[in-house]
Amino acid sequence: MAVLQMQRMNLVAMKQNRKSILERLQEIGGIEIDVKAEEFEGTVCQDTSTPHATFEKRSATADQALEILDKYVPEKSSLLASLAGKPLVERSELKKTVENQSEYMRQANQIVNLDKQITEATATIQKLENQAEALVPWEKLDIPMSTEGTAKTALYFGTMPDLVSEEAVLTALKTHEPAVDQADVEILSSDKDTTYLSVLCLRRDAAAAEEALREMGFARPSWFVSRTPAEEQESIRKEIEAHQTEIEGYIAELTKFGPARGDLQMVSDYYRMRADKYEVLGTLPQTENTFAVSGYVPAYLANNLKQELETEYGAVVELEEIAENEKPPVLLKNNPFSNSVDGVLASYGLPGKGEIDPTFIMSIFYVVMFGIMLSDAGYGALMVVFCGIALAKFPRMNEGLRKSLKMFFFCGISTVVWGILFGGFFGDVIQVVSREFFGHEVAFNAVWFAPIDDPMRLLIYALIIGIIHLFLGLGIHGYTLLKHGDGMGFFSEVVGWFAFLVGLLLLLIPSSIFESMAQTTIDFGPGLTYLSYILTIVGALILLLFAGRRKKKKVGMRLLLGVYEIYGITSWLSDWLSYSRLLALGLATGAIAQVVNMIGTMFGSGVLKLAIFIVVFIVGHVLNMAINLLGAYVHSNRLEYVEFFQKFYDGAGEPFEPFQAETRYVDFARSK
């Protein structure tokens, strides 16, 4: 369990080597650049905004082209392809990408333009379809909608709100002042909101007719066609077909670019790396002939990196120890078992300066508690098999995902062990199947005990695990205080609490409360009983007198702070009882699993009974495993975050974020 030591590296080199040095640093990914130009007198920063924006734009264009190919020329992949990670590409392929970048970008732009043409054609089709839809109510017309009448007649096409009859329109025309006595009205179509109609009248009555119709809500169409609606619809249909043919042609062109997917991925990542390089370059202090880099490097890497930069690039490199007032980034290094929970720790926070890395201790308790809460050997075996196969089959899996699967792999092993100890294998499926389908029950007995038959026993062990876990947290806090030379803090915050808590525990164990839980009587005798009183009183006095030690001259405030510190025993009790969730979730997993098995045998007989059992078994246990696996994960995190970490851990560290190749599609191999 270690937080890797960091050193500060300061580098000065000739400007002519700037590109090579930055590319090498980006390739190694071993330095977090932390430098400000104002710290170097007489230096300036180069304006790299234009090339940075150019490379970002090119990368975005390649990304857009790849998205278009995924849409029209999807790549065939398995359900587990997301586990495979990014392919490793040799440096020779990167060199090829650099040489052919113009061709690859020409292809990317072609793909984007084809997609743009498809989008435009699709929009045109949508517009034409809307026009055709608008003509549907006028389909009965056998003359163009642009017809306005004859020399002696006026013809109007339009709509009325709601449902209107021909008689109602004629009546309105005749009763209008001046009246329109000679008119012809035809309802062409109608729906629940609108009536579509034509009105024919003498041209001398046109003004009166138009006024009467307007009073009824008559409105002319927003556009007219010079052909009959049927002829116009046929013309629109042919135009739509022509555009659809165009789209098919564009898609056919796009499919030809399918083999270029890999090249586009590499050129996108190449430009992404160049954009990152220019972004960093814009922060570096420079003179007319030199430039400088400063940042944090892991100590184990520093000397080799220094030697390479000085030998290969003629740079002047200086290594410094981290200053007292500096807060370096955090990089963890743990054994293969413990580093599987790095992500869980990082979700809470990395160790701050002066804090120890709790990953090792945390990983042990995490895996143990997870196993107790899931506690079914069948479920654990499935986790081990799935995670083991995935880890073996996909060696280039994303590192974060790999660690998570490793964590669940180890948690699966723990679950198998606890399942065997507690006698749980898909609940009691072995007993049920042997009894119901073979007529002779085969027992799968617990190696230790069955929690569902003796829950209080599991509760006792859960609380024992809890007190050990909490005391370890308090002990780590004490170690940290001693490491920083705070002996008085160790005495008042750690020794006082240990004495107080141990004394109270020794008082609790012989009590009737513990006796009812453990179903056994424990008598320490007078000597240990007196010791428990002494520890409790001494611990309480230490907390009372020294918790407010910083308020040296304010005796009243100091005592009040001491009383408040003693009141913190309620928080300790709450934290301790939280470990009863080990019992609750362990019982829930086993009980639900047994209920699933019981339901599976309640229906049918013979082959039908077997078929129903198989279906219920699969569905029920998948749901039970999913729910309780999630519960075990969440509550294992909670016991670490809330109960354990609050005793000693702040987690205020910032992660080590080196300048490195941040790619999306491929990983480029390092040069020798």
Side-chain angles (χ1 to χ4, degrees):
M1 55 177 184
V3 177
L4 290 182
Q5 181 184 351
M6 289 285 171
Q7 288 185 303
R8 176 170 281 279
M9 173 179 283
N10 299 313
L11 174 153
V12 177
M14 299 302 294
K15 215 169 181 180
Q16 65 194 34
N17 294 325
R18 187 177 53 180
K19 177 178 181 290
S20 300
I21 290 175
L22 284 179
E23 286 180 353
R24 183 57 177 159
L25 291 177
Q26 187 179 40
E27 181 183 348
I28 294 172
I31 180 171
E32 179 177 321
I33 296 176
D34 175 43
V35 60
K36 296 178 177 63
E38 56 265 25
E39 297 174 357
F40 293 80
E41 188 176 347
T43 63
V44 295
C45 286
Q46 179 182 350
D47 181 9
T48 60
S49 58
T50 300
H52 176 261
T54 299
F55 291 129
E56 276 199 331
K57 182 179 179 181
R58 291 179 185 176
S59 179
T61 300
D63 289 340
Q64 186 181 357
L66 287 165
E67 290 174 6
I68 294 166
L69 288 180
D70 288 340
K71 179 180 178 181
Y72 295 104
V73 197
E75 220 174 3
K76 293 182 180 179
S77 59
S78 66
L79 293 174
L80 298 178
S82 58
L83 299 177
K86 293 181 285 189
L88 184 65
V89 175
E90 296 298 327
R91 283 278 154 176
S92 58
E93 291 296 316
L94 176 58
K95 184 179 179 182
K96 177 186 171 185
T97 298
V98 175
E99 292 172 352
N100 298 303
Q101 56 182 293
S102 298
E103 172 61 19
Y104 297 157
M105 287 309 299
R106 186 190 65 79
Q107 292 176 343
N109 286 317
Q110 237 179 314
I111 292 169
V112 172
N113 287 334
L114 285 169
D115 182 65
K116 184 179 179 181
Q117 289 173 305
I118 291 173
T119 302
E120 290 174 353
T122 303
T124 302
I125 288 174
Q126 183 63 51
K127 181 180 177 182
L128 292 171
E129 287 176 344
N130 291 338
Q131 291 177 1
E133 184 70 22
L135 289 171
V136 170
W138 309 98
E139 285 178 334
K140 288 176 64 176
L141 277 177
D142 55 3
I143 59 173
M145 291 181 65
S146 58
T147 304
E148 296 180 351
T150 65
K152 295 185 178 181
T153 61
L155 180 61
Y156 300 100
F157 299 108
T159 60
M160 291 278 196
D162 301 321
L163 294 176
V164 180
S165 65
E166 295 177 357
E167 291 76 11
V169 177
L170 288 171
T171 301
L173 291 171
K174 290 178 180 179
T175 57
H176 184 266
E177 188 60 40
V180 181
D181 294 322
Q182 298 183 37
D184 180 70
V185 177
E186 182 180 1
I187 303 298
L188 300 172
S189 65
S190 60
D191 54 39
K192 62 179 181 180
D193 298 319
T194 310
T195 299
Y196 301 83
L197 69 161
S198 65
V199 178
L200 180 67
C201 66
L202 294 174
R203 190 162 291 281
R204 67 170 183 265
D205 297 330
E210 192 168 353
E211 184 180 346
L213 291 171
R214 190 165 52 248
E215 289 176 0
M216 294 183 68
F218 182 84
R220 294 191 178 190
S222 58
W223 57 281
F224 294 93
V225 292
S226 58
R227 289 174 285 199
T228 66
E231 291 172 342
E232 186 66 22
Q233 283 183 317
E234 179 62 20
S235 175
I236 290 174
R237 184 187 63 77
K238 290 179 180 179
E239 196 173 347
I240 288 174
E241 289 177 353
H243 285 298
Q244 288 174 337
T245 302
E246 283 181 11
I247 291 174
E248 290 170 2
Y250 297 145
I251 293 175
E253 283 293 313
L254 281 173
T255 58
K256 296 178 183 178
F257 289 100
R261 182 180 272 107
D263 296 330
L264 292 173
Q265 289 175 342
M266 283 192 288
V267 81
S268 172
D269 282 338
Y270 167 68
Y271 285 129
R272 188 171 286 106
M273 291 191 300
R274 293 202 68 181
D276 291 344
K277 186 183 75 173
Y278 273 94
E279 183 178 15
V280 169
L281 182 60
T283 67
L284 300 182
Q286 303 179 47
T287 65
E288 185 177 350
N289 298 309
T290 63
F291 77 104
V293 176
S294 181
Y296 298 104
V297 179
Y300 76 91
L301 181 65
N303 286 324
N304 289 339
L305 185 57
K306 176 179 184 293
Q307 183 178 357
E308 179 182 348
L309 292 171
E310 289 178 338
T311 304
E312 299 294 330
Y313 305 103
V316 177
V317 181
E318 177 187 50
L319 296 177
E320 297 178 359
E321 296 303 319
I322 301 300
E324 192 66 31
N325 60 346
E326 278 189 276
K327 187 179 177 182
V330 178
L331 181 63
L332 303 180
K333 183 176 178 61
N334 289 289
N335 62 65
F337 169 74
S338 296
N339 71 11
S340 64
V341 299
D342 280 353
V344 176
L345 179 72
S347 296
Y348 183 87
L350 294 172
K353 189 172 183 179
E355 287 188 315
I356 71 165
D357 174 17
T359 308
F360 177 70
I361 294 173
M362 171 192 164
S363 63
I364 295 172
F365 279 91
Y366 192 97
V367 169
V368 169
M369 292 188 297
F370 190 105
I372 293 175
M373 284 189 271
L374 196 54
S375 67
D376 187 284
Y379 297 168
L382 289 177
M383 291 172 62
V384 170
V385 170
F386 174 79
C387 294
I389 291 174
L391 290 168
K393 187 173 181 180
F394 302 108
R396 294 202 48 77
M397 185 187 302
N398 172 270
E399 187 60 26
L401 180 58
R402 171 169 288 276
K403 286 183 177 181
S404 295
L405 285 181
K406 277 177 61 181
M407 182 190 76
F408 284 113
F409 176 81
F410 291 126
C411 288
I413 293 175
S414 174
T415 302
V416 170
V417 172
W418 286 107
I420 293 172
L421 291 175
F422 293 158
F425 183 81
F426 293 107
D428 56 351
V429 70
I430 294 177
Q431 296 93 315
V432 169
V433 170
S434 60
R435 182 180 64 248
E436 296 292 333
F437 298 103
F438 296 97
H440 175 69
E441 183 170 316
V442 176
F444 182 75
N445 295 323
V447 173
W448 190 13
F449 71 95
I452 203 162
D453 298 328
D454 193 0
M456 298 309 294
R457 188 176 179 183
L458 179 56
L459 178 61
I460 295 295
Y461 286 115
L463 294 177
I464 291 172
I465 291 173
I467 200 64
I468 293 171
H469 201 210
L470 294 174
F471 275 11
L472 271 173
L474 186 60
I476 294 172
H477 178 55
Y479 170 79
T480 305
L481 290 172
L482 290 176
K483 183 179 176 182
H484 290 88
D486 190 357
M488 181 54 71
F490 174 77
F491 177 73
S492 62
E493 297 176 21
V494 180
V495 174
W497 270 114
F498 264 122
F500 190 40
L501 293 169
V502 171
L504 289 175
L505 281 174
L506 292 176
L507 289 173
L508 172 66
I509 291 173
S511 69
S512 58
I513 297 175
F514 184 82
E515 180 183 344
S516 65
M517 292 171 57
Q519 298 297 307
T520 185
T521 302
I522 297 176
D523 187 0
F524 287 150
L528 202 54
T529 301
Y530 290 143
L531 178 62
S532 64
Y533 285 120
I534 291 171
L535 287 173
T536 304
I537 294 170
V538 169
L541 286 174
I542 292 173
L543 297 175
L544 179 66
L545 298 176
F546 294 98
R549 63 189 182 279
R550 293 180 177 83
K551 306 288 184 180
K552 294 182 179 180
K553 297 182 180 180
K554 299 179 180 179
V555 178
M557 178 62 71
R558 185 169 177 171
L559 290 176
L560 284 173
L561 289 173
V563 171
Y564 183 76
E565 185 74 6
I566 293 173
Y567 180 73
I569 189 64
T570 57
S571 175
W572 273 90
L573 179 61
S574 172
D575 291 344
W576 188 34
L577 292 177
S578 288
Y579 289 83
S580 62
R581 68 190 66 234
L582 298 176
L583 165 69
L585 270 76
L587 287 180
T589 304
I592 296 173
Q594 290 189 16
V595 169
V596 169
N597 295 334
M598 181 182 68
I599 293 174
T601 60
M602 291 174 62
F603 307 99
S605 60
V607 176
L608 177 60
K609 182 176 183 178
L610 177 61
I612 293 174
F613 177 81
I614 291 172
V615 172
V616 173
F617 176 86
I618 293 174
V619 174
H621 283 289
V622 166
L623 292 175
N624 187 36
M625 180 180 175
I627 293 169
N628 286 287
L629 194 152
L630 177 62
Y633 172 75
V634 169
H635 290 287
S636 294
N637 285 354
R638 186 195 187 283
L639 290 173
E640 299 286 1
Y641 292 166
V642 180
E643 277 68 39
F644 183 53
F645 283 169
Q646 72 169 347
K647 299 294 179 283
F648 68 96
Y649 190 63
D650 290 328
E654 295 294 328
F656 178 62
E657 296 178 345
F659 172 50
Q660 60 185 348
E662 298 286 355
T663 58
R664 179 180 296 181
Y665 304 105
V666 299
D667 285 331
F668 294 106
R670 289 188 181 183
S671 57
K672 303 295 184 181

